[in-house]
Amino acid sequence: MPFVNAYVSEEDAKKYDLDNLWNKYRRFGTQMPELLKKFDVHQHAWCVDKERGYWLFYCGDVQNYDSPSGIPEPTSKEVHILHINGQNIEFILDSSDLDPSESVSTDLYPIQFAWEIVSMNPSSLPSMSKADLLTILKEALTVYKCRGIRNLETNKKSFFKFNF
């Protein structure tokens, strides 16, 4: 079964401790599980391949704590956790605008960007190479797109490529 965008069951959210995983990367603002009340569907969301037991979980934007205003501001970098073989791999990904020469029809895809890896920890697993991990990450991000199941309309309008 390939990756699909889905809401996380309460059992899986507890099993993988998703509240604390989210809160680890969100140093200010509303914390989980309180934040779930603000979403239309009061559950965590992820991109999951249940057959292989893999999932991708968005943990939030990397914040700039040295902003001119003194208030933390989001950057173009995002934290994602890719769970494979019982191990969490932390990816910090940066989205940048596509080079105009790589652009496609903006009528069909008004949202266009390229993913780049800022960091990956760990960079390999005992049973899997970095190349294999990146292939799985690409599979998941291709389905996840911008915000997974929480933003299907934006996903339809987005085109991206991988710079890794």
Side-chain angles (χ1 to χ4, degrees):
M1 178 178 175
F3 279 99
V4 295
N5 290 317
Y7 290 105
V8 182
S9 69
E10 190 174 320
E11 299 81 38
D12 281 340
K14 286 180 182 175
K15 176 180 178 181
Y16 297 112
D17 200 17
L18 295 183
D19 284 353
N20 286 325
L21 190 58
W22 172 277
N23 291 339
K24 175 181 176 183
Y25 297 99
R26 188 175 173 96
R27 293 170 44 189
F28 73 97
T30 309
Q31 299 285 299
M32 293 292 181
E34 185 66 25
L35 184 61
L36 289 176
K37 295 177 184 174
K38 295 185 179 190
F39 295 120
D40 290 341
V41 176
H42 307 300
Q43 292 171 264
H44 287 288
W46 61 8
C47 189
V48 62
D49 180 334
K50 288 191 177 192
E51 187 174 296
R52 296 187 290 180
Y54 300 166
W55 48 261
L56 179 73
F57 184 68
Y58 166 74
C59 293
D61 297 330
V62 174
Q63 301 293 312
N64 174 10
Y65 291 93
D66 295 326
S67 67
S69 67
I71 299 170
E73 297 175 358
T75 66
S76 61
K77 297 173 182 70
E78 299 180 359
V79 179
H80 294 265
I81 301 297
L82 181 63
H83 181 86
I84 295 178
N85 300 338
Q87 174 89 30
N88 288 347
I89 298 102
E90 174 192 274
F91 285 92
I92 297 181
L93 303 174
D94 194 359
S95 60
S96 58
D97 292 333
L98 274 182
D99 183 297
S101 67
E102 300 172 316
S103 183
V104 294
S105 169
T106 54
D107 292 336
L108 289 174
Y109 301 107
I111 302 165
Q112 299 187 28
F113 61 94
W115 285 117
E116 296 187 29
I117 295 177
V118 175
S119 69
M120 173 182 179
N121 188 23
S123 60
S124 65
L125 297 177
S127 61
M128 196 171 292
S129 69
K130 180 177 183 176
D132 290 340
L133 290 174
L134 293 179
T135 297
I136 295 167
L137 177 65
K138 288 176 184 179
E139 289 174 26
L141 286 172
T142 299
V143 173
Y144 180 78
K145 295 198 177 192
C146 292
R147 287 286 178 260
I149 199 165
R150 293 207 195 278
N151 204 338
L152 297 175
E153 287 304 311
T154 299
N155 288 345
K156 289 179 192 175
K157 300 174 189 174
S158 65
F159 174 83
F160 61 92
K161 66 174 257 174
F162 303 106
N163 287 338
F164 57 87

